[in-house]
Amino acid sequence: MLCLDDFEAAARRRLPAPVFGYIAGAAERYRSFQGNRDAFDDVGLVTRVLVDISRRSTETTLFGRTYASPFGIAPMGLAALSAYRGDIVLAQAAAAENVPMVMSGSSLIRLEEVVRVNADAWFQAYLPGDQPNIVALIERVRAAGYGTLVITVDTPVPPNRENFARAGFSAPLRPSAKLAWEGITHPRWLFGTFLKTVLRHGVPHFENNYATRGAPILSPNVQRDFSDRGHLDWRHFALIRRLWPGTLVIKGILDARDARIAVDAGADGIIVSNHGGRQLDGAVAPLRVLPGIVRACPGVPVMLDSGVRRGSDAIKALALGARFVFVGRPFCYAAAVQGLSGVRKAIELMKQEISRNMAMLGATSVDAIDESFLWPSPQGMAAGPAAARVAGA
């Protein structure tokens, strides 16, 4: 495993097709998914030379805590379906490597168990559709001891799930001959993840969408409760701000106007994200709108996820004003392939890439990374690659 992409290829072999399809899948024609990668590819790095980089550091301070590097583990639902105790593994690896880990609300392990192995883990919530359940969930997260709460706001309705259906995935999973065959033909996953989980912990359930337990992950007839969130608005976010005493982050912002509203409503941080291309196909890549959001919200840390795969991607986001980036799918693949050691290896690879690239750029600290290291300029990038090339010429 020499880079994060290597874990994806190995996970494709290890996991049953429906499970791999759930992790790897994106909306409709994968336009947003590919657009995230294209945005990074459209930006070049400008190096400075003969700079003493012998004492460079990737350490980054965020919300009063100093982390080893400016990236963390993004929330990934159903991590325990792809790796044995997947959320626990991700949390333990993050703690050992001193990077933040955001636990997904769509997880199969109780949030109380995860915070016990990583007291600094963040929790990401999808808001229930009614105020009593919102209040109950926030109170549960608070009682568990989490210090940072992330509210994901780009899921007013479920996405088009056609690509999950093509892969044979549903939530809950429906027993079928095809699903049984996928398990039999992937014995390492069947015995090392699924049956091991069932024997030791029972059939997994959605544990954290609400204050109470949700549907099982395997059922022939039970339906998962997808609350209607279409009526939720900024009043509900203001309610959460009143209820939550810790750090409050809003995730899923793509418009500078929304970012400013969020900050005015009490958000301590913003994650610019299009949900990894899993929601609206054709949604703009977060990297393209990042500079405008940073300008609109100068007083809070602006972070980014969706499409980050290399240390150079992280550096490009930092140069455009992000304080931090988050990586999702690759760490889930690493957990599926090699468990705790795999996730730690993936984190270390990312750390090494950032440090090595900083050296080649001539940057000695994360704070020193700015738009002077980029081509084209942020203004040219916002106008699109073609316009940027004309401006550069």
Side-chain angles (χ1 to χ4, degrees), residues 282-318:
V284 66
L287 193 72
R288 299 198 189 278
V289 296
L290 174 64
I293 292 175
V294 170
R295 288 193 297 270
C297 304
V300 302
V302 176
M303 299 157 276
L304 177 142
D305 77 10
S306 303
V308 178
R309 295 294 180 269
R310 287 281 187 174
S312 56
D313 298 336
I315 286 175
K316 291 171 184 179
L318 295 171

